[in-house]
Amino acid sequence: MKYQGSCHCGAVRFEAEGEIGTATACNCSMCQRKGILMWFVPRSALHLLTPEENASTYMFHKHIIKHRFCPTCGIHPYGEGVTPTGEPMAAINLRCIEGIDLQAIPVQHFDGRSK
Ligand SMILES: [Zn+2]
């Protein structure tokens, strides 16, 4: 299944391919403030439809996750990182994806605050 998503103003648009099984809510200092629901996919399953530099990057703590956000509208559509085994992955903000029923997706809670 292919999904389309974007920030609010449209400067950052993307497609993502895969099955949305669960959403992850994280309680770390960043995710809690953003209130995002994440969908983890291999980085190769995320296709940017707008130039990569349209999104700014914020990093904190261990600086291993790139929190990508639109400098115009402030929305955080996705993040980039690597799995423990070194595979590039993306955490897509499900709230930025069009045409899905968020209520129907089970939410797993991740204790990022303690990491
Ligand atoms: Zn924007």
Side-chain angles (χ1 to χ4, degrees), residues 7 15 23 80:
C7 67
E15 275 182 357
E80 294 172 289

Side-chain angles (χ1 to χ4, degrees), residues 8-42:
H8 190 263
C9 73
V12 180
R13 288 188 297 111
F14 63 88
E15 275 182 357
E17 227 172 327
E19 299 306 318
I20 303 174
T22 56
T24 301
C26 172
N27 65 358
C28 83
S29 57
M30 185 63 180
C31 293
Q32 180 164 294
R33 282 171 171 78
K34 286 195 286 195
I36 71 170
L37 289 171
M38 291 179 285
W39 173 37
F40 292 101
V41 296

Side-chain angles (χ1 to χ4, degrees), residues 2-5 13-17 45-49 92:
K2 225 177 223 182
Y3 296 95
Q4 298 225 335
R13 288 188 297 111
F14 63 88
E15 275 182 357
E17 227 172 327
L46 170 65
H47 311 288
L48 298 177
L49 303 175
I92 293 167

Side-chain angles (χ1 to χ4, degrees), residues 63-114:
H63 286 245
I64 47 178
I65 301 168
K66 292 178 185 167
H67 299 267
R68 309 279 274 152
F69 66 98
C70 173
T72 300
C73 68
I75 297 297
H76 290 63
Y78 64 98
E80 294 172 289
V82 291
T83 65
T85 53
E87 306 293 320
M89 48 83 68
I92 293 167
N93 184 356
L94 282 173
R95 296 190 188 278
C96 291
I97 290 192
E98 295 151 20
I100 57 169
D101 181 9
L102 266 186
Q103 310 281 344
I105 301 169
V107 177
Q108 288 187 326
H109 292 271
F110 177 74
D111 185 14
R113 190 184 305 170
S114 309

